[in-house]
Amino acid sequence: MRDSPNPRTSPRSSPGAGPRTGSGTTSDATPSATRVEVRRSKRRRRTVSAYMDGGTMVVLIPDRMSRSEEQHWVAEMERKLLRSAKRKASPARASDEALMARCRELSLRYLDGTCEPASVRWVAPMRTRWASCTPTQGTIRVSERLRDVPAWVLDYVLVHELAHLRVSAHNAEFWALCGRYPKTERAIGYLEGLSAAAGLGITGVDDPAAEPAAGTDGEHLA
């Protein structure tokens, strides 16, 4: 059973604007997050955790926690996330140009410099995937959801998409290329956990349902 969000939400853009009505909570102590969503769980006894889902900070707390304790931990977890993001976030999160530069570095390091895309860009969060590639056009699109993941996770997604420029199918040759990146298995596990915790429904980097049908433009999804 997943942690259940509170039945209240409030955009960060309107702090203090009356009663909270939805799955989040508003606090002046957390001005940098676009939204805050607090999820209470009866399974949790003492632990508090948090992660970023796009522009939303999701905070997981015990169900018994008071509102004042909730506000304290929302502020505390944001401070921790901000410190962690500064240490771990990839420079590629800054812009499409930075994303392209990182792809060139990863291609040289792991793929013999043979997988340089025509374009790489950040796009709005995709419903069922982390990224996508159209090998026939050499284009790669990366979900905004990945801007705040650790650098080694984003690197894996980029290597995955770059490998599609050489091998379009998710076959043994393709996975051999992905396997050159040393944190492949760890990154897959991280993404699976992120999807499950956030209820995104993204079942895997190489979801068979994402394979293109015959006659399409050859788009591949991660």
Side-chain angles (χ1 to χ4, degrees):
M1 182 177 67
R2 278 197 302 270
D3 295 327
S4 300
N6 285 346
R8 60 186 194 284
T9 190
S10 45
R12 177 61 58 203
S13 57
S14 55
R20 294 173 292 185
T21 59
S23 60
T25 172
T26 301
S27 167
D28 291 337
T30 55
S32 64
T34 303
R35 298 173 68 86
V36 175
E37 179 178 323
V38 175
R39 297 184 182 181
R40 292 175 172 264
S41 172
K42 293 181 180 179
R43 294 178 302 167
R44 288 177 177 264
R45 294 293 181 265
R46 299 175 182 173
T47 61
V48 177
S49 60
Y51 62 90
M52 292 301 302
D53 178 16
T56 300
M57 181 177 74
V58 181
V59 183
L60 311 175
I61 64 174
D63 187 57
R64 63 178 177 79
M65 194 169 279
S66 69
R67 296 302 180 205
S68 61
E69 290 174 317
E70 173 187 312
Q71 291 175 356
H72 164 78
W73 281 108
V74 165
E76 178 64 22
M77 297 312 290
E78 184 184 37
R79 283 192 289 270
K80 289 185 177 181
L81 284 176
L82 288 174
R83 289 196 299 267
S84 178
K86 289 177 181 178
R87 291 196 308 267
K88 297 179 180 179
S90 171
R93 73 197 296 268
S95 65
D96 292 349
E97 292 74 17
L99 202 59
M100 173 66 90
R102 187 57 180 164
C103 281
R104 293 194 184 104
E105 293 173 8
L106 293 169
S107 177
L108 286 170
R109 185 178 303 177
Y110 300 111
L111 302 170
D112 308 315
T114 61
C115 302
E116 184 165 332
S119 70
V120 188
R121 59 190 176 93
W122 292 103
V123 297
M126 295 179 270
R127 188 171 58 85
T128 61
R129 67 205 73 164
W130 299 114
S132 66
C133 172
T134 305
T136 55
Q137 299 176 12
T139 56
I140 293 173
R141 294 155 297 282
V142 182
S143 172
E144 292 275 359
R145 294 186 191 278
L146 297 179
R147 278 192 187 266
D148 297 306
V149 300
W152 54 271
V153 177
L154 178 58
D155 280 354
Y156 164 67
V157 173
L158 295 178
V159 169
H160 183 109
E161 299 306 331
L162 288 168
H164 274 313
L165 298 179
R166 276 179 59 176
V167 181
S168 61
H170 285 134
N171 57 21
E173 182 183 2
F174 170 82
W175 285 113
L177 291 174
C178 286
R180 296 182 183 183
Y181 180 65
K183 295 183 179 179
T184 288
E185 292 300 323
R186 183 182 173 194
I188 290 173
Y190 181 100
L191 292 170
E192 288 175 347
L194 178 60
S195 176
L200 298 177
I202 301 176
T203 58
V205 175
D206 46 307
D207 181 0
E211 293 284 2
T216 68
D217 66 357
E219 181 175 6
H220 284 262
L221 317 173

